[in-house]
Amino acid sequence: MINFENNPLIEKTVKFSLDIIEFCELLESKKKFVIAKQLLRSGTSIGANSFEAQNPYSKKDFVNKIKIAAKELEETKYWLYLCKYSQSYPFNENLETQIIEIGKIIYKILSTSLSNENGQ
């Protein structure tokens, strides 16, 4: 079992995933099914890939999983952006704050991992 205590990325992505689930349920209750489905998939995938990266086969596998998490993060930002600026969709500012914090962690991990990879 992966120990994710004191692992800010895992702690934040698990909380974010739970909050995304709740927000997507709200979207579905308002019959916003398409974006709810897309947001649920990409938003929870950030955490799933980050979690999977904690037990990699190799350094390359670790970086690949974090890169996938970063791509899913960007897609999630897009769906949240649409909710924020659409007049007929609800929006949750807390999700926006969380995704920014998670992005800082993921991009720092990527930057460090890639510079270590290139420096060896």
Side-chain angles (χ1 to χ4, degrees):
M1 184 80 177
I2 297 171
N3 180 6
F4 60 86
E5 289 180 23
N6 299 318
N7 183 326
L9 178 60
I10 300 305
E11 289 176 4
K12 288 181 184 300
T13 57
V14 167
K15 181 182 181 336
F16 182 74
S17 292
L18 294 171
D19 290 348
I20 279 288
I21 291 168
E22 191 174 311
F23 183 66
C24 289
E25 288 172 351
L26 172 66
L27 288 174
E28 288 179 350
S29 75
K30 296 183 178 292
K31 301 190 184 323
K32 309 296 185 186
F33 300 112
V34 174
I35 289 186
K37 188 175 185 177
Q38 295 289 346
L39 185 56
L40 182 65
R41 286 181 178 180
S42 65
T44 57
S45 183
I46 301 164
N49 281 287
S50 298
F51 200 87
E52 193 174 338
Q54 302 307 302
N55 193 20
Y57 293 120
S58 63
K59 287 181 185 179
K60 185 177 180 180
D61 184 46
F62 173 80
V63 170
N64 186 47
K65 294 297 180 202
I66 295 298
K67 282 181 178 179
I68 294 169
K71 290 180 111 177
E72 297 294 338
L73 178 125
E74 294 303 326
E75 181 180 343
T76 302
K77 284 162 88 174
Y78 173 76
W79 299 121
L80 288 173
Y81 181 87
L82 291 181
C83 290
K84 182 175 184 176
Y85 292 103
S86 173
Q87 293 182 356
S88 63
Y89 277 73
F91 180 67
N92 182 327
E93 285 186 34
N94 182 43
L95 293 174
E96 184 176 47
T97 301
Q98 288 181 66
I99 198 85
I100 290 167
E101 290 175 12
I102 292 167
K104 288 177 183 177
I105 295 168
I106 286 176
Y107 288 114
K108 179 65 176 172
I109 290 169
L110 268 179
S111 174
T112 302
S113 297
L114 292 173
S115 67
N116 288 345
E117 195 175 85
N118 293 333
Q120 291 180 343

